Amino acid sequence: MMRPGRAVVIGGGIGGLAAALGLLRTGWRVTVVERAPDALADAGAGISLAANGIHALDALGAGPAVRAAARRQLTGATRTPGGRVLARMDGHALERALGAPILGIPRATLHRLLRAPLPPGTLVNGAEVTAVDDDPDAPHARVRTADGRAYDADLVVAADGINSRVRARLLPDAPGPAYSGSTVLRAITERPVDVGGADFQLTWGRGAEFGHILFADGRAEWHAVLNASKGVRPRDPLDALRRRFADWHDPIPALLAATAPGAVLHHDINELATPLPTYAVGRVALLGDAAHAMTPHLGQGACQALEDAVTLAAAAAEAPDVRTALARYDAERRPRSQAVALAARRAGRMGQQLAHPAAVAVRNAAMRLTPSGATIRTILRHASWTPPELRPELANS
């Protein structure tokens, strides 16, 4: 196996920080360059982590801290706007089957916990990458930033998000992000909310979805996903949502009432609808949304990025050279992550995006007749994953 070298990770989001932890764990020297001046500038509202994400965090050494800060999501259901139950979700059964619970945690908290173990100076904020030079005849790749700094690297990890500039340079013929047809608004409530005992819940209307997850302090993160034209923004998003969901079942109006107007985030949902032909070019690996940005309908975006991070670190620790490591990473991650992305797109079309009344009625009837075991098996298909072992002793080999 090769000796651990120097890695530069472009992007300090969940995937980039996780990649840094994995590489550090196996002896690599790592620098994370992040364009935003503030580490939490785009931390988002909240996140639900499935078992595969938890197992990845365990492999990275961050699992115990995340578990301590998060809330187990044990009780929940999918409902109609009137409150009728379409399907119940047994979090206990999922935890028994997968060996880990579903966890709800604020994204800012998860970011903080992933940053905490990094050695001082590892994370460089306010560093906008302008070029990645990877001459195969040069001894190292070189990452250049707008302020004139340059970082030599044996391995470059492009975790710079769905609008990845690195991906655009490496794969200029690959289509960029495409609008999914849906937009999402989300926020965290200002105070704890009585949600009737449901740790998490999803409600499907015609071309609309409203969901929530609870946090350890009793506050909730809610999201509203709507069919909409790209770029449409209401002047007062919270007021528009209160009117849009005024007649939907409790606790939806209560969640909106407990939200400060300035807390609402609004993003169109874009995805890499055309799968990339590779996640690795030369000494550069694409990771997370830069490689496989997907719709949120399975809640797997962050979990797949965490899987990427562990798989990449394991390959970089065990392969004889970087190019062999990246070939292994690509072979292991591309089929699985692209299959999950396709499943998420299909879930959205049959769930939140479905708008025709007759189609919605058929879908709802089918869900009510589906045994709970079948629903659990569907989740198991995506959340069941065993991470490779990251052995710290490799750092000294």
Side-chain angles (χ1 to χ4, degrees), residues 1-24:
M1 65 185 70
M2 64 179 156
R3 291 182 61 83
R6 176 166 294 282
V8 173
V9 179
I10 303 171
I14 292 172
L17 294 173
L21 289 180
L23 292 167
L24 286 165

Side-chain angles (χ1 to χ4, degrees), residues 51 67 72-74 90-102:
R67 281 182 169 86
R72 294 161 71 207
Q73 308 291 296
L74 299 175
D90 185 344
H92 291 282
L94 284 172
E95 185 171 358
R96 288 193 300 270
L98 294 167
I102 300 171

Side-chain angles (χ1 to χ4, degrees), residues 240-254:
L241 290 174
R242 286 172 175 168
R243 288 185 279 106
R244 176 69 173 79
F245 295 102
D247 59 348
W248 285 38
H249 66 82
D250 293 331
I252 292 172

Side-chain angles (χ1 to χ4, degrees), residues 42-67:
D42 193 27
I47 189 169
S48 179
L49 293 169
N52 54 321
I54 304 303
H55 290 316
L57 289 166
D58 287 338
L60 297 169
V66 173
R67 281 182 169 86

Side-chain angles (χ1 to χ4, degrees), residues 39-381:
L40 296 178
D42 193 27
I47 189 169
S48 179
L49 293 169
N52 54 321
I54 304 303
H55 290 316
L57 289 166
D58 287 338
L60 297 169
V66 173
R67 281 182 169 86
R71 179 180 180 126
R72 294 161 71 207
Q73 308 291 296
L74 299 175
T75 58
T78 302
R79 299 177 181 269
T80 67
R84 185 175 185 179
V85 173
L86 297 175
R88 295 193 183 278
M89 189 57 59
D90 185 344
H92 291 282
L94 284 172
E95 185 171 358
R96 288 193 300 270
L98 294 167
I102 300 171
L103 296 180
I105 188 169
R107 280 184 178 265
T109 302
L110 180 59
H111 275 240
R112 175 174 55 80
L113 295 175
L114 292 176
R115 292 197 314 274
L118 298 178
T122 299
L123 177 61
V124 181
N125 280 104
E128 181 178 357
V129 171
T130 56
V132 177
D133 303 323
D134 186 19
D135 182 346
D137 296 324
H140 305 285
R142 177 163 290 184
V143 176
R144 303 180 187 276
T145 60
D147 58 5
R149 283 177 284 185
Y151 302 88
D152 287 342
D154 302 291
L155 168 64
V156 178
V157 182
D160 52 342
I162 186 171
N163 295 309
S164 170
R165 297 179 181 179
V166 178
R167 183 190 64 234
R169 294 189 185 104
L170 292 178
L171 302 171
D173 295 330
Y179 182 50
S180 68
S182 299
T183 194
V184 60
L185 299 93
R186 57 190 137 203
I188 297 175
T189 61
E190 289 187 292
R191 58 183 183 274
V193 178
D194 180 3
V195 294
D199 294 323
F200 61 95
Q201 194 154 253
L202 199 62
T203 301
W204 280 341
R206 292 172 51 191
E209 167 185 308
F210 196 100
H212 80 257
I213 57 173
L214 279 188
F215 296 145
D217 62 4
R219 292 180 304 152
E221 187 262 8
W222 57 259
H223 72 266
V225 187
L226 306 168
N227 291 352
S229 299
K230 184 176 183 178
V232 173
R233 296 290 185 271
R235 181 173 300 176
D236 185 338
L238 186 57
D239 179 67
L241 290 174
R242 286 172 175 168
R243 288 185 279 106
R244 176 69 173 79
F245 295 102
D247 59 348
W248 285 38
H249 66 82
D250 293 331
I252 292 172
L255 288 165
L256 295 173
T259 302
V264 179
L265 304 174
H266 189 175
H267 297 95
D268 287 337
I269 299 173
N270 297 309
E271 60 173 330
L272 290 180
T274 302
L276 297 182
T278 182
Y279 290 177
V281 178
R283 286 171 283 205
V284 184
L286 297 170
L287 185 145
D289 281 353
H292 47 68
M294 61 190 69
T295 66
H297 298 99
L298 291 179
Q300 275 289 324
C303 292
Q304 291 301 305
L306 292 169
E307 287 188 18
D308 289 348
V310 177
T311 303
L312 177 62
E318 298 169 6
D321 56 67
V322 168
R323 285 175 173 79
T324 302
L326 295 192
R328 169 180 156 180
Y329 165 73
D330 178 60
E332 293 186 14
R333 290 303 307 149
R334 189 155 46 91
R336 172 166 164 78
S337 60
Q338 290 179 350
V340 172
L342 178 59
R345 187 180 311 121
R346 289 173 173 170
R349 289 173 180 169
M350 293 304 297
Q352 168 262 318
Q353 291 182 327
L354 207 60
H356 193 282
V360 169
V362 171
R363 189 267 320 278
N364 290 355
M367 288 188 66
R368 289 193 298 270
L369 295 172
T370 300
S372 59
T375 302
I376 289 178
R377 285 193 295 274
T378 299
I379 295 174
L380 293 178
R381 186 180 309 129

